[in-house]
Amino acid sequence: MTTLVAVRKNDQIAIAADTLTTFGDTRLSAEFDRSPDKIVRYHDTYIGLCGSAAHQLVFESLLAARPDLDFSTRRGIFETIRLLHPILKEQHFLNPKEEEDDPYESTQITALVASAHGIFGVFSMREVFEYTRFWAVGSGREYALGAMHAHYPRLKTAEAIARAGIEAGATFDRNSALPMTVYTVAPKA
């Protein structure tokens, strides 16, 4: 898993992630991984992915093939993920099965989206949330949320708050580690 955070404060939006990949008990640190970044860029949008390591290449392939995707609003992100779901199944062989009583097929994806339009969370049943301050996903999310909650009133920038969240996740979650990657954008008025 991972620690992945997105923060909005004042005139800055930030998204950050740790760089550790795990396969069961095996850890692939950034030192040994040529591509440890868990955040992909799509035009002016950053998408952080957690879960299966396969998501990274699948999303890079999808995003490169589709110049028309909308990650600017909650509704736009929902429609984009809905559009991508059959492609994930048919071209990338996604296994949409989770629990027997789930109301919908799963995309198996948990992500944070950050752009000049805001910060959003995307979850496996195509739920999309827009956040006003910050959020975290992945196995280190609880540590990151606690750290960001404590630091949000005191730190001046979204980047500093995001760094505090990732540092907490990397310190306490066994499936997260430094170094981190951080990207920032200015929000639209």
Side-chain angles (χ1 to χ4, degrees), residues 5 14 21 45 48 50 62 64 77 80 91 108 112 131 152 166 175:
V5 304
T21 299
T45 299
C50 65
L62 284 170
I77 294 168
T80 292
Q91 294 178 22
Q108 303 285 354
L112 290 179
Y131 304 109
Y152 195 87
I166 297 300
N175 293 311

Side-chain angles (χ1 to χ4, degrees), residues 24-94:
D25 291 332
T26 303
R27 296 166 48 100
L28 176 61
S29 68
E31 176 184 4
F32 297 101
D33 188 352
R34 189 173 295 272
S35 302
D37 197 346
K38 298 174 183 179
I39 300 170
V40 297
R41 185 171 185 180
Y42 180 77
H43 303 304
D44 64 346
T45 299
Y46 293 94
I47 304 163
L49 300 159
C50 65
S52 172
H55 294 331
Q56 189 84 13
L57 283 171
V58 167
F59 254 73
E60 288 172 3
S61 173
L62 284 170
L63 298 176
R66 300 297 305 245
D68 59 337
L69 302 177
D70 180 6
F71 291 99
S72 65
T73 64
R74 184 173 174 253
R75 178 66 181 258
I77 294 168
F78 170 79
E79 293 298 340
T80 292
I81 299 300
R82 189 178 65 78
L83 175 77
L84 293 178
H85 185 72
I87 297 168
L88 287 167
K89 285 177 24 178
E90 294 163 17
Q91 294 178 22
H92 298 278
F93 310 104
L94 170 75

Side-chain angles (χ1 to χ4, degrees), residues 104-153:
Y104 300 99
E105 285 185 346
S106 172
T107 61
Q108 303 285 354
I109 292 171
T110 301
L112 290 179
V113 175
S115 72
H117 302 283
I119 57 174
F120 305 88
V122 181
F123 299 91
S124 63
M125 300 291 157
R126 287 164 294 291
E127 307 102 315
V128 179
F129 296 91
E130 183 172 7
Y131 304 109
T132 57
R133 294 183 184 181
F134 58 84
W135 200 249
V137 295
S139 56
R141 71 187 168 281
E142 293 167 351
Y143 307 112
L145 286 169
M148 292 187 300
H149 178 72
H151 287 294
Y152 195 87

